Amino acid sequence: MSIVVKDLVYIYGEGTPYETVALDGVSFEIGDEEFVGLIGHTGSGKSTLVQHLNGLLKPKSGQIFVGGTEITARKKGLTNIRRKIGLLFQYPEYQLFEETVYKDVAFGPSNLGLSETEIDQRVREAMFLVGLDFTAMAERSPFELSGGQKRKAAIAGVIAMRPDVLILDEPTAGLDPRSHADILDMLDKIRKSRGVIVILISHNMADVARMADKVIVMDGGKIALAGTPAEVFAQDEFLSAAGLGLPPITKFIREMRQKGAKIGSNPLTLDEAEEAIDAYLTTKRGAGA
Amino acid sequence: MIRDITIGQYYPGETWVHKLDPRLKIIITLVFIISLFLVRDFIGYAVAAAALAITIAISRVPLPFILRGLKAIFIIIIFTFALNMFMTGGTALVRVGFLTITREGLYNAVFMGLRLVFLIIGSSMLTLTTKPIKLTDGIESLLNPLRAVGVPAHELAMMMTIALRFIPTLLEETDKIMKAQVARGADFESGNIIRRAKNMIPILIPLFISAFRIAQDLAMAMEARCYRGGEGRTKLHELKFKERDVAASLLTVLFLALILLEREFWAILEMLAISR
Ligand SMILES: Nc1ncnc2c1ncn2[C@@H]1O[C@H](COP(=O)(O)OP(=O)(O)OP(=O)(O)O)[C@@H](O)[C@H]1O
Ligand SMILES: [Mg+2]
């Protein structure tokens, strides 16, 4: 499965005084099983962009191909495509409506017309993956949960559909460190167990640097930069001009270098940084002796 | 689609129409509405249409934006039209099965349809050119004399402001929830009417919950800022009658006179003929 987007333009409230050009000629490609990090400052058009990918918003112009099928031209038959593309909205906790968490997570799978046993299995799996204890949570009302638990329930509702493309709009915003880690672990597990495309919108640069194969940077409705995390996070001046920053660890190494430490590489994760610092210290000791 | 509902929306501007005293604008709108019911023939409508056209031209609100508001009540207009067309007795024009279209029916249908269109456009001009805050200031000030007989003028006005203010918010919320459920494979477009009504549950429940949450937050925020109703409350912007308001009042009187004159044209003519 691949996703190809060509020259996408979208305008909110066209023809009214409140007109906003949210997407202004966006093009990119996502290959099979790729993990894409989508970053950009507040209001840069990320949420608008991902809502196009399953046909919820219709572009003013441009094309989108999902697995070779153009979805922009058609009016009917989008339901099938939506079933393959799981989209988790920003603040998804407001979509909960059922009497129990179980039923709410089952809403997506039962729309797929699956059998009871299949649904049951998927609900259990999804709740396990997001870190919601099945025995304690399944029969509770989703409205009695805490904010973070609601978030997890909503995420479970999307992954229970087992989509081929999983799009998550800031899934970890406002979660505690443990839940945050749970969600990222879940993404890892899903990717390992079956090949999916993941698109992760996040303001957490460290997550994006660690998880993504490819990073797309949006700025003012346009794609400002795209490439591997190493390529993108090498452009620190550009990123800060676009209202973004570097992963803390990359920033730390950069500052060490400015203070005179001779570190050649640009580490993105803690492990890489450890290696780089280790190498630096060894050569320094060697030179000092 | 859900955003097409423009009733109660404001179209920002700095024109003469926008700046009129809101109290006067409310009265003018009422006069306009009453005049629509006084009109007896199409010439009267021509007068009303001209007045409306001039107002729209001065206000610089684009016509497509105004007409979009009509789209939402299109069905009501069609219904009125059809009801009048088929239900009025008189000389038959066309017969389709058991339905008969009469001359009078057609006339009535067009007449009533136009009245409805003018009503909507006229009253949406008020909200399009007046900020909700000013509008409620106007209503409050007009209702103020009634406080003596126990009408809670300020509270009514505040309720209206809040209702107007939250129409777009709730529409946006509906849109958001609908999209989230569609993304989970919900289908709102197919099936019979019962099936469709049932399919609305995943939208309605979160919407109600949202509405209550918003109401609660708002009440808390208002209390945190020491809101305690109209008692002893002063205004940041006092309403003042200006020259342009006097001019507009005169024009309104002129308009009403024209409408009345046109309505009684034949009667007046007859009276003159008799007295001669
Ligand atoms: N429903 C809407 N109606 C009108 N304008 C909108 C709407 N949603 C978004 N916009 C505008 O479109 C632009 C892009 O918004 P979008 O929600 O895509 O940003 P974002 O990148 O997701 O931001 P954030 O990081 O804050 O979630 C913004 O300027 C926003 O004001
Ligand atoms: Mg967003």
Side-chain angles (χ1 to χ4, degrees), chain A residues 10-13 18-23 39-51 57 90-91 169-170 201 203 218 221, chain B residues 3 172 175 179:
Chain A
Y10 187 81
I11 303 172
Y12 279 110
Y18 311 103
E19 199 172 276
T20 328
V21 180
L23 295 178
I39 58 176
H41 62 82
T42 289
S44 57
K46 305 178 298 290
S47 299
T48 309
L49 173 62
V50 294
Q51 284 174 46
L57 289 179
Q90 204 167 3
Y91 308 115
D169 196 344
E170 298 187 32
I201 298 182
H203 289 301
M218 290 201 63
Chain B
R3 279 171 213 285
E172 230 163 74
D175 199 52
K179 278 190 199 155

Side-chain angles (χ1 to χ4, degrees), chain B residues 232-250:
Chain B
R233 198 172 167 83
T234 56
K235 290 221 174 326
L236 180 58
H237 300 288
E238 294 283 348
L239 296 175
K240 281 209 192 72
F241 231 60
K242 303 236 174 66
E243 275 151 41
R244 57 171 169 260
D245 299 310
V246 177
S249 313
L250 290 178

Side-chain angles (χ1 to χ4, degrees), chain A residues 28-281:
Chain A
F28 60 86
E29 281 181 32
I30 298 175
D32 215 15
E33 300 188 18
E34 246 181 342
F35 192 122
V36 177
L38 187 56
I39 58 176
H41 62 82
T42 289
S44 57
K46 305 178 298 290
S47 299
T48 309
L49 173 62
V50 294
Q51 284 174 46
H52 280 87
L53 299 182
N54 67 351
L56 282 174
L57 289 179
K58 291 260 170 287
K60 180 173 159 57
S61 64
Q63 292 168 302
I64 299 168
F65 298 87
V66 175
T69 339
E70 180 172 3
I71 64 164
T72 25
R74 50 171 68 199
K75 288 209 170 68
K76 292 245 148 78
L78 275 174
T79 317
N80 272 332
I81 286 162
R82 290 198 182 119
R83 284 170 182 172
K84 285 191 204 149
I85 301 181
L87 172 57
L88 180 83
F89 277 77
Q90 204 167 3
Y91 308 115
E93 43 275 37
Y94 298 128
Q95 72 184 29
L96 302 172
F97 72 98
E98 277 286 9
E99 290 157 64
T100 65
V101 173
Y102 182 95
K103 282 190 189 167
D104 209 284
V105 177
F107 179 68
S110 50
N111 281 330
L112 298 178
L114 302 171
S115 70
E116 285 294 320
T117 43
E118 174 75 19
I119 292 174
D120 186 71
Q121 190 197 333
R122 287 198 182 191
V123 172
R124 282 167 193 276
E125 181 200 70
M127 285 182 67
F128 171 74
L129 279 172
V130 297
L132 276 181
D133 182 21
F134 188 87
T135 39
M137 293 292 179
E139 292 308 313
R140 284 180 66 178
S141 158
F143 303 110
E144 294 170 354
L145 304 182
S146 77
Q149 288 166 337
K150 279 186 192 161
R151 173 78 55 92
K152 288 180 174 181
I155 297 176
V158 172
I159 59 173
M161 296 177 75
R162 292 208 190 139
D164 297 333
V165 180
L166 188 55
I167 306 173
L168 305 150
D169 196 344
E170 298 187 32
T172 58
L175 290 184
D176 64 67
R178 166 81 183 280
S179 309
H180 181 136
D182 281 351
I183 300 297
L184 295 185
D185 282 350
M186 165 208 87
L187 285 180
D188 259 342
K189 270 185 216 152
I190 292 180
R191 280 187 82 195
K192 290 211 177 90
S193 64
R194 57 202 173 87
V196 291
I197 292 181
V198 180
I199 301 176
L200 175 69
I201 298 182
S202 178
H203 289 301
N204 186 322
M205 300 298 137
D207 291 351
V208 172
R210 183 162 71 83
M211 310 273 296
D213 304 318
K214 181 167 161 184
V215 179
I216 295 177
V217 184
M218 290 201 63
D219 186 17
K222 291 190 168 77
I223 290 192
L225 202 61
T228 63
E231 284 164 4
V232 168
F233 290 116
Q235 314 255 355
D236 66 331
E237 267 151 39
F238 184 89
L239 287 176
S240 58
L244 300 165
L246 295 176
I249 203 72
T250 317
K251 202 167 165 204
F252 173 72
I253 298 290
R254 210 158 270 253
E255 273 166 22
M256 278 185 72
R257 194 179 304 142
Q258 271 162 14
K259 294 230 155 72
K262 290 197 176 53
I263 301 176
S265 63
N266 267 322
L268 295 171
T269 63
L270 211 53
D271 293 341
E272 286 171 28
E274 194 183 333
E275 262 171 50
I277 292 174
D278 216 28
Y280 162 66
L281 289 178

